[in-house]
Amino acid sequence: MKILVMAAGSRGDVAPYTGLGAALRAAGHEVVLAAPAGLAGAVRDGGLGFRPLPDAATGAGGSLLGRAAAYVDALGDGVADAVADGDVELLVLSATTAPLGWHAAEALGVPSLGAYLQPVAPTGDFPPTVGGAGRPLGRWGNRAAGRLSLRVVDRLHAQAVRRLRARLGLPPGHGPRAERARRERAGWPVLHGYSPALLPRPADWREGLDVVGNWWPHVPSGLPAGLEDFLQAGPPPVFVGFGSMGAAAEGLGGLVAGALRRAGVRGVVQLPDVPSGDDLFAVGDVPHALLFPRTAAVVHHAGAGTTAAALRAGVPAVPVPVTADQPFWARRVAGVGAAVAPVSRAGLSVERLAAALRSAVEEPGYRAAAVALSRRMAEEDGAGRVRDAVERLAP
């Protein structure tokens, strides 16, 4: 089949789809990934075709909701452009692109399925992954908050959906909320790309919502030579990085260096202002799959992809969540014993980070829990489950 995968957001939101696309291509499908233009190189390195979507920074200025609405409008135009040639037989949609991608599938007359990195459907088991700081609200409260979260998302997409349907030549009338309800009634399939060992499938979800295990980013070969030399020159270091949370990481270089020294550990640090030293190595983008198994612990922002990568490597974590779904995953990974209690970005200090590092590195229970989850995750084949679902939709 000719498959168009659509994923929007930061590098962490998109990278897993490079591995998913590669798995579908290996099964004989022709795969194109529509993603932010800045990630074209990573997509093509995975052997996939590429079509650009707007960068997540589109829509500067105004309130948070105003910026989000501006980005969604731009994303609607990107979705229309990505399907303009009509040469698609199946759409695979992320949680971010689905509210717009549904209308593109209707215009093309092709099937679609969801491939989500986060749970979106309301459930009594846990609160929405975005908002609420990940704190449980009781079964009734969790479900109510989940429904409210979807209403906010649908309202945010209302204008973009009207514009997109007009551009695609579709009649008006299927607003975001109505389209979501229609998909739910039809049992639209959604496969969730995280491990059920970390977050089991809720029993109150409808049929067609499945948790299948992670699909992992395409991995380039080898680490930079200097980093390889550093790793071999001493005991396993701690990795410190905040992914796409660039603004939140500004000015942290000195604090992190001080915490690493106070904890008595070496560090591989992915921050822009890290002071040099024999026990510190500064890096840019580096494959988590190659680096994390060689670390003593990982300090990260608790994005879904980095959280999963640390668990896959069997190493304990120090989560420092900043925004979006990060507080949810931070509480979850701590709840299964593979991370220390989350440290808030606002409360980060040399003393607090050093204490968390010592706990993560020295207390064996954290590593034991991470290793146990790693073994369970190794038995999962998330990409294979998506491949199977795709082939059930083949004509």
Side-chain angles (χ1 to χ4, degrees), residues 240 242 249-263 269 271 273-275 280 299 320 343-354 357:
V240 183
F242 291 88
E250 288 180 3
L252 284 183
L255 184 155
V256 166
L260 291 167
R261 284 193 296 268
R262 184 167 297 194
V269 184
L271 292 171
D273 53 352
V274 182
L280 288 178
V299 181
V320 185
V343 181
S344 73
R345 170 64 183 91
L348 200 62
S349 67
V350 169
E351 295 75 17
R352 289 195 68 188
L353 182 56
L357 284 170

Side-chain angles (χ1 to χ4, degrees), residues 6 43 70 283:
M6 290 190 181
V43 173
V283 296

Side-chain angles (χ1 to χ4, degrees), residues 308-340:
L311 290 175
R312 184 190 193 191
V315 296
V318 177
V320 185
V322 179
T323 187
D325 60 338
Q326 297 159 17
F328 178 89
W329 293 115
R331 289 175 64 90
R332 189 64 200 168
V333 74
V336 296
V340 302

Side-chain angles (χ1 to χ4, degrees), residues 24 28 48 54 72 83 92 97 99 137 197 254 285 289 315 325 350 354-355 368 372:
L24 293 173
L48 308 177
V72 168
V83 301
V92 176
T97 60
L137 304 169
D285 288 331
V315 296
D325 60 338
V350 169

Side-chain angles (χ1 to χ4, degrees), residues 73-141:
D73 275 351
L75 185 59
D77 289 333
V79 167
D81 291 341
V83 301
D85 65 7
D87 191 23
V88 177
E89 294 175 297
L90 172 70
L91 288 179
V92 176
L93 305 172
S94 71
T96 307
T97 60
L100 298 166
W102 291 330
H103 304 276
E106 179 185 346
L108 294 170
V110 301
S112 64
L113 62 83
Y116 291 3
L117 299 181
Q118 302 89 4
V120 170
T123 173
D125 287 9
F126 46 79
T129 56
V130 178
R135 296 187 180 93
L137 304 169
R139 294 196 64 83
W140 183 89

Side-chain angles (χ1 to χ4, degrees), residues 3-19:
I3 300 172
L4 176 61
V5 182
M6 290 190 181
S10 67
R11 176 176 289 271
D13 297 317
V14 173
Y17 295 93
T18 63

